[in-house]
Amino acid sequence: MIFLFLTVSCVSATTITVGDNSNTNNSFSSIQDAIDQAQKNDSIIIYSGTYSETLKVDKPLSIRSSSLEPDDVVITSNNSSASIIHITADNVRISGLTVKGDSTNPSVAGIFIEKSKNCHVSNNIISNTQDGFYIESSSGNEIQNNTVLSNTEHGMYLLASTLSKLENNNILNNKRGLYVDESDQITIKDNKFSNNQMYGIALRKSSLCTITENQLVLNNIGLALTSSDENTVFGNNLNENNQYGLNVWHSNSNSVTDNYFSENKNSGIRLISLSSNNIFERNSFYSNLNGITIESTDNNIIKNNKFRSNEEYAIYHRFPDDKNTIEDNSFADNRAENIKLSPLQDILIVIITLIVLTIIAFHFGLSWLKKGLFGLVILIIISVILLLAWYFPFEAGMTENVEITNMQWTDNEAINETHTRGTLSFDLIYNDKYAYPNGFGDILSADIHISSRRLPSGNYELRYQEPLTLEYMEEYHYRQRLDLERENQDVLIQLYAEVFYDYPNPAYGDSKVEELGMDVLQINQSASDWSQAL
């Protein structure tokens, strides 16, 4: 009986072909037809060609190209609202395919692994989808030796998944590289993340992950940890990123050791916002703007690191009263090393020095020193005023996303003895699309609110609101008829838009309504003016 069972099991695993024109019972022209006809553990071999299909893999199968060369078998989407390959079974193997969406109407995902275990996806090219890989509620999967590029949302997105390995992949030119969200015990090793618009790797609410021996270059942020604890970051190269090599935000008890940070345009590491008990040890920081920037965070250990040729600070303390352990580091050729002086402290030192020199000058009657000190004092006063204006700009000079100009009120007709009807007109210019980290793009969808109040001390009442669309740096001429009371009025104009928080902000995915511009027009008319309008 045992022998019979083993014989039947071995025979039942067959090889099915697609596109080989052999006209046998195990040969198909459609990949999905082959999947539907296959039994568990069968192998499907696909011959060279382009196949326009969306595939649903709901049983354990091995699916590969005949040559194992991805360029030979291209699967394109015939339904952009569906994933090109959707895996819902355990023990599926996919290799040697090109999975390609439509760049003008990208598919939801290239390969979607949903509630599946122990799948192995290797040696594929995935491009022009929203998410190259989307892996949800899955465990024990291995994603290896894939090239993932030009996807509009994420190269790879893991959600609520565990115990998976991502190794030797090339993730490039995506909006975001790899996003690990609410996932634990993920191994990320020997991958290259380059030229991704937002970040190379990002962890959010993820723990016990190992990130080792990866190349993270030419991204906006190389690696970001947000609300993520007890992760290991070891032996990575984080170079030439547009902001930070590593951004640590509201994350605790992470180990960051033996990494190389160079030529990052802001800081090698930015440590921010209530991150504590992290260890940064045996890292090298070369030719960054700052080696490490510390902001609003305490109880971290920074030791045995090398800081060389950083343009500004080796270790920059945004606030001088942080309480971190910094010891046994080596410094060479940085403009400054580990100095905890705030701008106000710098000013105070200069003022004390001037006072001492002034006392000496008057005591010894040094007229030339008195004149020099007087000129220097005037220069210091001007510098302090400019510094204060920079830190605390006057309200009239503050930059707004949308500028409101040329406001006018024109009376059109009297309605009765208490109200008049007129036209409010003004111009809008959308002039700052980068005011928020995620930006608004060239098209801004906003809401305009028009309120009024009676002078001198009435409360504003909303008179009118509507949505409108503004184009970047294009003037928008706005006119609206309003009915107002026959009294002197302040008319308040406000522009609002919904701001979405992007990673690495801990509020990622949330949004709030922000005021982008406002101005007030005062309408002054005497009682005789009102009577003349009648």
Side-chain angles (χ1 to χ4, degrees):
M1 289 292 293
I2 294 174
F3 176 77
L4 179 61
F5 174 77
L6 291 175
T7 302
V8 171
S9 297
C10 292
V11 171
S12 64
T14 60
T15 298
I16 298 172
T17 60
V18 177
D20 66 338
N21 301 316
S22 62
N23 296 319
T24 66
N25 292 334
N26 291 326
S27 178
F28 297 86
S29 59
S30 162
I31 303 172
Q32 187 62 57
D33 287 347
I35 293 170
D36 294 340
Q37 292 299 316
Q39 302 300 311
K40 291 181 178 179
N41 303 315
D42 283 351
S43 295
I44 297 175
I45 298 177
I46 308 170
Y47 284 80
S48 179
T50 298
Y51 301 82
S52 181
E53 303 187 50
T54 53
L55 308 180
K56 181 73 175 288
V57 185
D58 56 1
K59 63 194 76 168
L61 297 171
S62 173
I63 303 173
R64 67 175 180 85
S65 64
S66 59
S67 65
L68 294 178
E69 293 293 335
D71 291 338
D72 289 345
V73 174
V74 179
I75 303 175
T76 62
S77 174
N78 61 5
N79 180 5
S80 63
S81 64
S83 301
I84 299 176
I85 300 177
H86 186 183
I87 299 171
T88 59
D90 300 340
N91 300 304
V92 172
R93 302 178 71 87
I94 304 284
S95 62
L97 307 177
T98 290
V99 179
K100 187 175 182 180
D102 182 348
S103 59
T104 61
N105 188 20
S107 302
V108 173
I111 298 178
F112 177 18
I113 302 175
E114 182 182 17
K115 297 179 181 178
S116 301
K117 298 178 182 178
N118 304 320
C119 295
H120 185 90
V121 183
S122 64
N123 191 33
N124 302 284
I125 299 173
I126 298 97
S127 66
N128 294 326
T129 67
Q130 294 179 39
D131 296 322
F133 281 89
Y134 181 39
I135 303 172
E136 181 181 359
S137 303
S138 299
S139 65
N141 298 293
E142 296 183 357
I143 312 298
Q144 298 174 331
N145 298 302
N146 300 282
T147 297
V148 187
L149 72 159
S150 303
N151 297 288
T152 60
E153 291 299 326
H154 304 88
M156 296 184 179
Y157 183 1
L158 272 69
L159 174 63
S161 296
T162 60
L163 293 167
S164 294
K165 295 181 180 180
L166 312 176
E167 297 177 336
N168 293 298
N169 300 287
N170 189 10
I171 296 94
L172 69 159
N173 295 326
N174 306 284
K175 183 173 183 181
R176 304 171 180 88
L178 165 63
Y179 182 42
V180 180
D181 189 15
E182 297 183 347
S183 298
D184 299 328
Q185 295 177 273
I186 306 298
T187 298
I188 305 166
K189 183 179 180 181
D190 287 324
N191 303 282
K192 183 175 182 180
F193 300 86
S194 62
N195 289 291
N196 296 291
Q197 181 181 338
M198 301 297 292
Y199 50 73
I201 304 173
L203 271 62
R204 175 179 175 268
K205 295 184 179 180
S206 298
S207 299
L208 302 172
C209 297
T210 300
I211 303 168
T212 180
E213 299 177 12
N214 298 282
Q215 305 289 325
L216 299 109
V217 298
L218 297 171
N219 308 285
N220 192 40
I221 298 173
L223 166 62
L225 305 178
T226 296
S227 303
S228 295
D229 304 332
E230 299 182 66
N231 299 287
T232 298
V233 180
F234 171 82
N236 302 281
N237 288 322
L238 304 99
N239 307 325
E240 299 181 78
N241 295 289
N242 290 329
Q243 289 195 45
Y244 312 104
L246 168 61
N247 192 88
V248 182
W249 192 332
H250 210 286
S251 297
N252 307 303
S253 303
N254 297 285
S255 172
V256 180
T257 60
D258 298 286
N259 301 283
Y260 186 84
F261 299 85
S262 74
E263 299 184 51
N264 295 289
K265 289 185 172 57
N266 194 304
S267 299
I269 295 176
R270 183 191 187 208
L271 185 58
I272 185 174
S273 185
L274 305 178
S275 296
S276 64
N277 298 313
N278 298 288
I279 297 175
F280 303 90
E281 188 172 8
R282 298 189 308 276
N283 300 287
S284 298
F285 300 86
Y286 285 80
S287 302
N288 306 283
L289 181 65
N290 299 305
I292 297 177
T293 295
I294 301 173
E295 302 182 32
S296 304
T297 183
D298 297 313
N299 301 318
N300 300 284
I301 296 174
I302 301 172
K303 64 183 293 187
N304 294 321
N305 301 285
K306 294 180 180 179
F307 297 88
R308 300 286 187 273
S309 303
N310 294 288
E311 295 178 27
E312 295 293 334
Y313 292 87
I315 302 175
Y316 172 60
H317 300 264
R318 179 68 180 81
F319 304 103
D321 57 348
D322 66 75
K323 298 175 177 63
N324 298 285
T325 299
I326 300 174
E327 61 187 19
D328 299 327
N329 299 286
S330 66
F331 303 94
D333 300 321
N334 307 286
R335 194 176 74 84
E337 293 182 358
N338 180 32
I339 300 172
K340 287 190 174 185
L341 287 180
S342 68
L344 292 179
Q345 288 175 308
D346 292 336
I347 293 170
L348 184 60
I349 290 172
V350 171
I351 291 173
I352 291 173
T353 302
L354 287 174
I355 290 173
V356 171
L357 289 174
T358 302
I359 292 172
I360 293 172
F362 276 93
H363 180 74
F364 292 101
L366 302 175
S367 59
W368 62 270
L369 185 57
K370 292 179 187 177
K371 293 178 181 178
L373 286 172
F374 179 76
L376 187 58
V377 167
I378 296 298
L379 182 62
I380 293 295
I381 291 172
I382 293 172
S383 299
V384 169
I385 292 172
L386 292 174
L387 180 65
L388 290 173
W390 181 63
Y391 271 107
F392 309 105
F394 297 107
E395 184 175 348
M398 293 179 69
T399 301
E400 295 181 320
N401 296 75
V402 179
E403 185 180 1
I404 304 171
T405 61
N406 300 325
M407 294 184 294
Q408 293 183 343
W409 169 261
T410 304
D411 281 319
N412 299 129
E413 58 181 308
I415 300 174
N416 52 40
E417 294 183 355
T418 60
H419 286 76
T420 188
R421 178 169 294 151
T423 300
L424 176 67
S425 63
F426 49 86
D427 296 330
L428 302 170
I429 302 177
Y430 169 35
N431 58 15
D432 187 359
K433 61 181 177 180
Y434 300 111
Y436 294 90
N438 202 26
F440 291 112
D442 290 330
I443 304 297
L444 172 63
S445 296
D447 285 307
I448 188 165
H449 290 203
I450 301 173
S451 306
S452 70
R453 67 174 181 178
R454 285 177 277 182
L455 295 175
S457 58
N459 295 321
Y460 278 109
E461 296 182 19
L462 183 64
R463 300 294 183 181
Y464 185 78
Q465 73 176 79
E466 68 169 327
L468 53 83
T469 300
L470 303 177
E471 294 185 34
Y472 181 58
M473 297 306 294
E474 294 290 331
E475 194 170 64
Y476 185 101
H477 302 288
Y478 187 89
R479 293 168 58 88
Q480 181 60 44
R481 299 191 74 183
L482 297 173
D483 295 344
L484 297 178
E485 293 88 348
R486 287 179 165 279
E487 299 183 26
N488 291 343
Q489 302 272 333
D490 272 346
V491 176
L492 172 64
I493 304 160
Q494 297 167 294
L495 269 293
Y496 293 95
E498 189 172 14
V499 177
F500 291 88
Y501 294 105
D502 208 334
Y503 193 90
N505 193 304
Y508 173 52
D510 295 337
S511 65
K512 72 174 182 177
V513 175
E514 291 274 5
E515 182 183 278
L516 305 184
M518 63 83 65
D519 212 333
V520 176
L521 174 64
Q522 191 172 85
I523 301 175
N524 295 313
Q525 285 191 272
S526 65
S528 61
D529 293 331
W530 294 113
S531 62
Q532 289 173 9
L534 286 169

